Amino acid sequence: FDKRRSGMIMGAGGIGMVLETESSCQERMKLPAIKGCIPCEIRARLLATQYSNSAFHGAALDRKHIASELDRFLNEIEIVHGISRAEIATHGVYFSHETSTHASAAASCAGNEIAALRSAFGDKLLSKLLILNTKGFTGHPMGVSFEDVAAVEVLMRQVVPPVPNFKEKDEYLGDIKISKGGAYACRYALRFAAGFGSQVAFALYASSQHE
C-alpha cells in the first residue's frame, strides 16, 4: 500500500490448519483430560468462505467483480450469522491480497482492492478497518495462503503484525488504516485472496469469544 511499491517478490512455503466441526470439538471437551496433553478447547472459528471466478483477465484484478462478490459475502454473513459490516469494520482486521504490483495507481492490486473495500464498507467504516498484509515478510508464495494462518494467530494472540516497509502514503488509495503492529483487540479477521484467471476467495474467521 506504500506509494513506492514497484513489484512483486516471489516466496515459497506451506501451511496447515486442522478444522473440526464445533459439535465434534464439544464432544471431545467432555472427555477426561489426558496427562501431558493440552485440553481441547475452541480457539478460533471459521465462520464462512466464498469462492468465485469472473474470467475477466488472466492476471489483472476486476475491481467490480471483487466489490460485488465482497458485497455478496458480507450480506450472507449478516443473514446467516447476524454480523454486520459495522461490527466487522469496528471489531475486525482485514488480511489483504496486495502483492505490491503497480502498473498504474488505478490498475494496481492495492488500488483495486481498496476500491472494492470502499464500495462494500463505505468511507466511514473503511477508516475503522485495520488492514494487514504479510507478503512483505513472506513474499508471494503463489497458492500458499500464509495469511489464513496469520489471521487465526491474530485472533488467538490479539496481536497484529505491521505492514512492513510502509512509509509513504498513496493519495490515490485515500485514508486507510494500515497496521503498525502490536497489541490489538479484535473479534473477526476478514481474508481476501485472488488467483490467476480472476479467481476470488473470501473467508471470515472469528475469535473463540464469538458466539
Side-chain angles (χ1 to χ4, degrees):
F1 300 99
D2 193 294
K3 188 175 183 178
R4 302 166 302 144
R5 64 191 182 276
S6 59
M8 180 175 67
I9 298 175
M10 297 294 288
I15 66 164
M17 287 197 296
V18 177
L19 300 178
E20 182 179 18
T21 62
E22 188 166 357
S23 59
S24 173
C25 187
Q26 289 173 338
E27 285 300 313
R28 289 200 300 114
M29 290 167 70
K30 298 175 184 178
L31 299 175
I34 300 176
K35 187 176 180 180
C37 294
I38 299 173
C40 176
E41 62 176 328
I42 297 174
R43 306 190 70 188
R45 289 178 168 88
L46 174 59
L47 295 184
T49 60
Q50 178 181 289
Y51 168 78
S52 59
N53 190 314
S54 71
F56 168 75
H57 191 274
L61 296 178
D62 180 358
R63 67 171 60 187
K64 291 183 179 179
H65 180 236
I66 297 170
S68 65
E69 288 304 289
L70 177 55
D71 189 62
R72 181 165 72 93
F73 184 61
L74 294 174
N75 283 339
E76 188 73 9
I77 291 296
E78 186 155 18
I79 292 171
V80 175
H81 299 283
I83 303 170
S84 68
R85 297 169 198 233
E87 288 181 83
I88 294 173
T90 306
H91 303 293
V93 297
Y94 172 77
F95 273 88
S96 69
H97 177 74
E98 159 66 340
T99 59
S100 297
T101 51
H102 194 51
S104 69
S108 67
C109 183
N112 285 307
E113 203 167 343
I114 295 300
L117 284 171
R118 187 163 278 116
S119 174
F121 283 97
D123 288 328
K124 185 176 180 181
L125 288 181
L126 179 56
S127 68
K128 298 179 180 181
L129 182 63
L130 186 67
I131 296 175
L132 295 90
N133 186 278
T134 59
K135 288 185 174 71
F137 294 114
T138 66
H140 191 347
M142 296 292 189
V144 180
S145 186
F146 290 119
E147 293 90 342
D148 284 85
V149 170
V152 173
E153 287 293 328
V154 162
L155 291 172
M156 292 193 298
R157 298 170 185 263
Q158 297 291 287
V159 174
V160 296
V163 173
N165 305 314
F166 181 79
K167 295 179 180 179
E168 190 173 344
K169 179 181 177 181
D170 186 344
E171 295 298 335
Y172 179 83
L173 302 179
D175 292 325
I176 52 178
K177 189 177 179 181
I178 299 293
S179 175
K180 296 179 180 178
Y184 192 81
C186 56
R187 296 202 291 264
Y188 308 105
L190 176 62
R191 164 76 174 125
F192 167 62
F196 287 124
S198 301
Q199 300 176 74
V200 173
F202 293 99
L204 183 68
Y205 296 91
S207 67
S208 59
Q209 287 75 35
H210 166 80
E211 296 295 341

